[in-house]
Amino acid sequence: MGWFELIVLAVVQGITEFLPISSSAHLILVPALTGWPDQGLAIDVAMHIGTLAAVMLYFHRETAAMVQGGFQLLRGNTQTSDARLALQVALATMPVVLAGFALASTVATDWRDPLLIAVTTIGFGVLLWVADRSVAAQTGLAFDRMTLRVAVLIGLAQALALVPGVSRSGITMTAALLLGFRREAAARFSLLLSIPTTAAAGTMAGVDLWQSGDAALQGDAIIAAGFSFIAALLAIAFLMSWLRRATFMPFVVYRLILGVFLLVWIYV
């Protein structure tokens, strides 16, 4: 791919990864709408690594707490707040990992369909609107009220994000709102959930990329990771600031417009 196409895709990935509008849908649709060649798995992974670095930097205190909590769990200590956070994130991650292994071939082929993306973009946008109008979204539970049961329920919802257009951040934020958490708390837990799955996938694919010895591909991957990191960091800062004082409505409206546009593009 040329540098322009590469930078555009990286910025799109960085912006959409953590906003509730589905990054996977955008990465499928941009090449489909522009006629650009598919960026390939290596570039996809590089962009995810860039966004991973961004969320870990923004939530560096929570990331350190999860790491420390993980070591505490290995020593059998489950009573500290760090250990509980690590356990909550681990349990919430398991459903999507198991579903990903079971449905890997289907996700990579059958579900990369613009019509499916249009339907899920609209449908789950409406669901986000319903959740955003709940009383809990404004006066609900704070982040420190998260429990293991709620974390597992949010994790089950996260497994739906394997379907393009659903949006991993969107469905987890929606689930958290419906389970009684306020907007900022829902977004915070959703973004923390992105860390373990992205880290695992990025590590495995990064090793494969390095072993390939393809210097040109490695250079493209570095560019993609860098621009996605910058875009993601700005998007996270914007999202968290926005949700302290406003609603999810702009994202709902965007999803509806995008879904309708796709339906028109498909049928007209």
Side-chain angles (χ1 to χ4, degrees):
M1 298 189 72
W3 279 30
F4 175 74
E5 292 92 338
L6 195 63
I7 292 172
V8 168
L9 284 172
V11 171
V12 168
Q13 164 66 22
I15 292 174
T16 61
E17 176 69 17
F18 301 116
L19 302 184
I21 55 177
S22 182
S23 62
S24 62
H26 285 77
L27 289 180
I28 293 171
L29 291 173
V30 169
L33 293 172
T34 60
W36 295 347
D38 187 273
Q39 63 272 15
L41 179 61
I43 299 301
D44 272 355
V45 170
M47 291 187 292
H48 277 81
I49 290 175
T51 57
L52 171 66
V55 71
M56 291 179 68
L57 176 62
Y58 188 88
F59 292 109
H60 59 277
R61 293 185 180 87
E62 291 88 342
T63 301
M66 285 193 294
V67 172
Q68 184 173 342
F71 285 114
Q72 291 171 350
L73 289 175
L74 292 175
R75 294 196 296 268
N77 182 0
T78 62
Q79 303 304 312
T80 68
S81 60
D82 291 351
R84 288 195 296 272
L85 177 60
L87 186 57
Q88 289 162 4
V89 171
L91 290 176
T93 301
M94 289 179 63
V96 71
V97 172
L98 295 175
F101 277 118
L103 300 171
S105 59
T106 302
V107 173
T109 55
D110 297 344
W111 288 353
R112 295 174 71 89
D113 176 29
L115 178 58
L116 176 62
I117 294 172
V119 172
T120 53
T121 297
I122 293 173
F124 285 92
V126 171
L127 185 61
L128 176 60
W129 173 72
V130 172
D132 190 50
R133 286 176 58 86
S134 67
V135 175
Q138 305 175 52
T139 60
L141 301 173
F143 179 75
D144 58 6
R145 299 294 300 278
M146 183 65 61
T147 65
L148 292 180
R149 182 185 69 85
V150 171
V152 170
L153 291 174
I154 295 174
L156 292 172
Q158 183 176 220
L160 295 174
L162 292 173
V163 183
V166 171
S167 172
R168 188 210 62 79
S169 58
I171 191 60
T172 50
M173 292 177 196
T174 298
L177 291 174
L178 293 175
L179 289 167
F181 285 82
R182 66 185 65 166
R183 295 185 182 98
E184 184 184 1
R188 185 177 296 272
F189 191 69
S190 171
L191 296 182
L192 292 179
L193 284 184
S194 70
I195 294 176
T197 50
T198 307
T203 299
M204 290 187 293
V207 170
D208 292 340
L209 178 62
W210 180 261
Q211 291 177 343
S212 71
D214 189 334
L217 184 58
Q218 291 172 9
D220 287 349
I222 292 172
I223 294 172
F227 277 92
S228 63
F229 167 79
I230 295 170
L233 193 60
L234 294 175
I236 294 169
F238 162 75
L239 177 66
M240 298 307 295
S241 175
W242 177 265
L243 293 180
R244 293 187 187 102
R245 52 188 171 81
T247 73
F248 281 100
M249 187 53 64
F251 308 110
V252 173
V253 172
Y254 176 83
R255 291 182 69 114
L256 296 179
I257 293 174
L258 177 61
V260 171
F261 166 77
L262 289 174
L263 291 175
V264 173
W265 176 65
I266 292 167
Y267 291 108
V268 178

